[in-house]
Amino acid sequence: MENNVRPEAMARITTPELASAFIEEQIKEIRAQVGDSKVLLALSGGVDSSVVAALLIKAIGKQLVCVHVNHGLMRKDESENVIKVFSDELDANLIYVDATDRFLNLLAGVSEPEKKRKIIGAEFINVFADEARKLSGVEYLAQGTIYPDILESIKQAEGKKAVKSHHNVGGLPEDLDFKLVEPIKLLFKDEVRVVGEALGLPHAMVYRQPFPGPGLGVRCLGAITRDRLHALREADAILRDEFDKCGLSEKVWQYFVVIPDIKSVGVKDESRYEGWPAIIRAINTKDAMSATIEEIPYSVLHKITARITSEVDGINRVLMDLTPKPVGTIEWE
Ligand code: XMP
């Protein structure tokens, strides 16, 4: 437990110089810890796992085996980007698993949010464990645990209840008994980002807005269908594109689209047609425990509405969620 406590004297990593010193120190520690063994990492493309991957690639190169599981609930182009950065640019040992059908088949007809989360979490472990069993010589599992995760686990151990079950990767099956490598476990998120930039990861990856482990699965409300999921992915990509273009992505903490399982009447090419509404959520927060609504200029909202309703099949309205947290949670499910 002791090395899970951040020493009071540990300086906050705020500059590239401090980040470089941290990286050098970790490279030595990682090499000393793992020797010639292979290390396995579930690489989601989120900030934490990406920084751990880049750090380990620097320390042990191809001894690191990254597994990227596409659960079919990723945002548009996200898996492609992981492949581009880690396989093409950093020459990582990367296994890409397209498990879309496995996940979507299990989720068919399931509408209860916590049940959806449990299915996604459990299947993620199944897919990852299947890949791990195919490899030989792996002794270690690297994880992107950061200091707030450790503080949260301590809180939960003290019996404080969480509103939603946020932990996406539970324990692996007993036959996969790896030792852990957790090089950023004493860092806060802002420090992880400074280290990520010092490692040369793309700015967009390092400053990526938080994305829940169950992905678009908890934004395609109720029972997920492939057509509504597709519409959600396209609408979300348009929102992100327009926020990037007008600089809002630098100012808003989290922004995304949600699609409920209801239809309303619309008109297209002079005939009546039923479509889903796309709901925009854009919030600011410090710690995700409470959140305020970001005011988006009407001109931007008009542009997004015009693009989503003309470019995305199946959507005929765009709505804006103006609810702070509390009383709403950030995600709808
Ligand atoms: P809520 O909806 O609880 O969200 O206000 C707070 C923050 O947590 C994210 N979130 C999740 N992250 N797995 C995750 O990794 C989850 O199941 C999950 N649910 C919500 C949410 O996006 C927000 O940043």
Side-chain angles (χ1 to χ4, degrees):
M1 196 64 198
E2 212 161 74
N3 58 358
N4 274 352
V5 177
R6 187 174 164 122
E8 262 177 44
M10 185 171 156
R12 196 94 179 181
I13 301 172
T14 49
T15 62
E17 293 72 30
L18 289 167
S20 296
F22 172 83
I23 293 165
E24 289 314 315
E25 187 189 309
Q26 284 306 315
I27 287 175
K28 277 192 214 134
E29 278 191 26
I30 293 163
R31 286 181 183 156
Q33 185 186 1
V34 309
D36 296 333
S37 304
K38 281 191 196 151
V39 181
L40 190 60
L41 170 74
L43 176 60
S44 66
V47 187
D48 304 334
S49 66
S50 296
V51 168
V52 169
L55 199 49
L56 276 133
I57 290 166
K58 254 198 151 74
I60 57 169
K62 299 230 165 163
Q63 277 169 253
L64 173 72
V65 185
C66 301
V67 177
H68 176 70
V69 176
N70 178 356
H71 49 24
L73 304 164
M74 305 294 283
R75 288 174 296 188
K76 191 169 178 176
D77 295 335
E78 210 151 32
S79 287
E80 291 77 0
N81 203 33
V82 169
I83 295 169
K84 181 172 158 280
V85 171
F86 287 96
S87 233
D88 303 350
E89 291 168 17
L90 295 178
D91 196 26
N93 199 349
L94 173 70
I95 299 171
Y96 169 68
V97 190
D98 182 356
T100 302
D101 287 336
R102 275 177 76 158
F103 281 84
L104 294 189
N105 290 343
L106 283 171
L107 287 164
V110 180
S111 57
E112 213 267 301
E114 286 300 280
K115 214 167 171 187
K116 286 163 70 175
R117 276 195 175 76
K118 288 212 167 69
I119 291 173
I120 295 166
E123 189 58 7
F124 185 89
I125 290 174
N126 289 339
V127 174
F128 186 70
D130 286 351
E131 292 306 314
R133 287 194 189 100
K134 288 182 204 162
L135 300 164
S136 59
V138 179
E139 250 185 85
Y140 292 88
L141 179 74
Q143 292 200 144
T145 313
I146 63 172
Y147 204 47
D149 299 330
I150 290 181
L151 298 177
E152 175 73 8
S153 309
I154 295 170
K155 230 168 54 185
Q156 285 187 3
E158 286 167 356
K160 297 192 179 114
K161 208 168 159 246
V163 180
K164 296 177 189 179
S165 53
H166 282 197
H167 287 279
N168 312 304
V169 187
L172 284 168
E174 268 175 23
D175 64 307
L176 295 171
D177 188 19
F178 299 124
K179 289 173 257 180
L180 292 182
V181 180
E182 296 179 302
I184 58 170
K185 72 176 174 187
L186 297 183
L187 303 192
F188 288 99
K189 198 77 172 192
D190 54 325
E191 300 178 293
V192 177
R193 296 194 208 277
V194 180
V195 170
E197 292 234 85
L199 284 163
L201 287 173
H203 183 84
M205 185 171 252
V206 172
Y207 284 88
R208 193 183 90 142
Q209 58 165 321
F211 185 55
L216 299 181
V218 288
R219 296 177 180 170
C220 189
L221 304 185
I224 299 166
T225 55
R226 287 178 193 245
D227 53 357
R228 200 154 48 90
L229 181 62
H230 178 72
L232 168 61
R233 182 174 289 122
E234 295 298 318
D236 187 71
I238 291 172
L239 176 79
R240 288 192 289 136
D241 183 40
E242 291 301 326
F243 268 41
D244 280 346
K245 280 185 191 153
C246 66
L248 274 168
S249 44
E250 301 285 328
K251 291 195 205 127
V252 183
W253 198 79
Q254 210 173 7
Y255 45 97
F256 53 89
V257 168
V258 170
I259 302 197
D261 188 14
I262 52 167
K263 282 190 168 179
S264 70
V265 175
V267 58
K268 198 177 189 181
D269 303 327
E270 291 174 30
S271 38
R272 171 193 163 102
Y273 97 106
E274 294 195 335
W276 302 292
I279 301 166
I280 296 174
R281 188 129 174 84
I283 60 97
N284 264 320
T285 179
K286 281 207 162 61
D287 55 7
M289 301 299 286
S290 63
T292 54
I293 295 308
E294 181 64 23
E295 292 202 4
I296 312 299
Y298 265 108
S299 55
V300 177
L301 291 173
H302 283 309
K303 178 98 189 281
I304 292 167
T305 303
R307 280 195 63 193
I308 291 180
T309 51
S310 63
E311 292 176 32
V312 185
D313 269 353
I315 296 185
N316 64 358
R317 281 173 206 273
V318 176
L319 314 178
M320 181 88 200
D321 180 355
L322 295 178
T323 322
K325 174 182 179 176
V327 60
T329 48
I330 295 174
E331 303 290 343
W332 273 51
E333 290 194 331

